[in-house]
Amino acid sequence: MPKTSQNAEKPPAVSVFVPYYNDRAFLHQCIESILAQTRGDFELILLNHASDDGCRQIARSFRDPRIRHIDMPYNLGAGSGVLILEFLKAARGRYAKLFCADDMMRPDCLERLAGHMEAHPETDVAFGDMEYVGKDGGDLGTKWSLRRPHFAFGMSGAECLGLLIRGISFMPYPASIAKTEVLREARIDKSMVMMLDMSIWADLIIKGKKFDFIPDAVVNYRVHENQTSSSKLIGTHASFLHPTKPSMSELHRPDEYSVWFYILF
């Protein structure tokens, strides 16, 4: 069973989840960006996915009382639904902020995302935009929304679901926020490694949950050779410096993606 460290503080507004596995190169900067948020009523749940590169020591070098730790006994794969389920068992916040160990929050990320949820109580899940940065954190001159030709702010739930079922990944997981209780309603497949977030968003749309999109960059999304992400389909760093619209073949992979959605839905 995973081990979870506890603290007795009153429930926070936001539970931030960062699973990590051998992210020594990026984890310190990720955690620093979260602890530097302009909005401070959050807890940070760091889940060690059986790392063996010393990054567990990096995670535990921070002494902030808002941090809680989970240690998994063995590795279950990059996108395992088990990790999110473990987070949801521990989360105490009204809102759940899923994040990645190689990315960085902008200082007002939680202020903007949680503030939007509070101002729009009918919203169940919201997404901000993301700036792309390189391995060293340098700006690559483009945003998530600009690299997703099928994406538009203000899309309906039906439009979103249609794209997801066609295998088009356009919802920026690291820039998401959701009502914790809504995320607990999602059907989370424990066996999925890739495309887990897409299946969660599709399931919530089918359940009638309301999605919003905020046209503000709230995350610096790091592009590097070791990441496990659909954004690797977009191209090399050179393509970010001279952005071009991705080809349809890069964004549509129906034989690979649609089969998963037929199984799930």
Side-chain angles (χ1 to χ4, degrees):
M1 294 290 291
K3 298 179 180 178
T4 307
S5 63
Q6 304 284 341
N7 72 52
E9 297 295 322
K10 71 175 185 178
V14 184
S15 294
V16 180
F17 176 49
V18 179
Y20 61 92
Y21 172 70
N22 289 359
D23 288 295
R24 183 181 182 87
F26 309 121
L27 185 60
H28 194 279
Q29 194 172 23
C30 172
I31 295 172
E32 279 189 328
S33 76
I34 297 168
L35 298 180
Q37 290 296 295
T38 56
R39 177 165 182 163
D41 55 341
F42 65 87
E43 65 178 352
L44 171 56
I45 298 177
L46 298 172
L47 184 148
N48 172 31
H49 201 186
S51 299
D52 58 13
D53 71 340
C55 60
R56 182 180 186 274
Q57 287 69 36
I58 293 174
R60 290 179 177 267
S61 71
F62 291 87
R63 294 291 181 257
D64 194 296
R66 294 171 294 183
I67 296 177
R68 304 168 66 199
H69 297 277
I70 299 175
D71 285 305
M72 300 298 290
Y74 48 85
N75 190 280
L76 297 166
S80 172
V82 174
L83 306 186
I84 293 180
L85 291 172
E86 289 297 328
F87 160 66
L88 290 173
K89 290 178 188 176
R92 300 176 299 158
R94 296 191 305 277
Y95 307 112
K97 175 75 193 81
L98 307 176
F99 205 54
C100 301
D102 52 353
D103 297 327
M104 295 166 285
M105 287 189 189
R106 293 191 160 200
D108 60 353
C109 176
L110 295 184
E111 183 177 349
R112 287 183 177 274
L113 291 177
H116 181 87
M117 298 293 284
E118 291 168 342
H120 302 274
E122 74 282 2
T123 297
D124 297 303
V125 184
F127 300 86
D129 206 345
M130 304 193 299
E131 289 277 358
Y132 282 90
V133 299
K135 183 176 181 178
D136 62 357
D139 187 1
L140 292 177
T142 192
K143 296 181 180 181
W144 176 273
S145 57
L146 298 176
R147 302 302 308 187
R148 293 297 190 269
H150 298 277
F151 172 82
F153 293 105
M155 293 174 64
S156 69
E159 290 171 319
C160 292
L161 183 61
L163 291 177
L164 290 169
I165 290 177
R166 288 161 61 196
I168 299 173
S169 175
F170 69 98
M171 292 178 169
Y173 171 95
S176 68
I177 192 168
K179 291 176 180 174
T180 305
E181 290 308 313
V182 166
L183 196 55
R184 287 186 174 124
E185 292 180 34
R187 185 172 70 171
I188 298 177
D189 192 308
K190 296 180 181 180
S191 66
M192 289 189 75
V193 174
M194 297 296 293
M195 300 178 291
L196 175 65
D197 59 325
M198 293 171 66
S199 73
I200 292 173
W201 309 142
D203 182 60
L204 290 178
I205 292 172
I206 290 170
K207 286 180 164 69
K209 305 306 179 182
K210 186 178 187 304
F211 283 54
D212 274 355
F213 296 92
I214 307 165
D216 298 313
V218 296
V219 168
N220 286 344
Y221 180 74
R222 197 188 307 264
V223 179
H224 58 95
E225 63 274 11
N226 296 322
Q227 71 188 140
T228 305
S229 169
S230 61
S231 68
K232 292 179 74 174
L233 298 174
I234 295 174
T236 64
H237 285 199
S239 71
F240 284 97
L241 297 175
H242 305 283
T244 57
K245 183 175 179 179
S247 69
M248 294 298 287
S249 63
E250 289 177 312
L251 290 170
H252 291 260
R253 304 177 70 181
D255 291 340
E256 177 180 346
Y257 290 146
S258 298
V259 168
W260 278 103
F261 280 97
Y262 290 146
I263 293 171
L264 288 170
F265 301 111

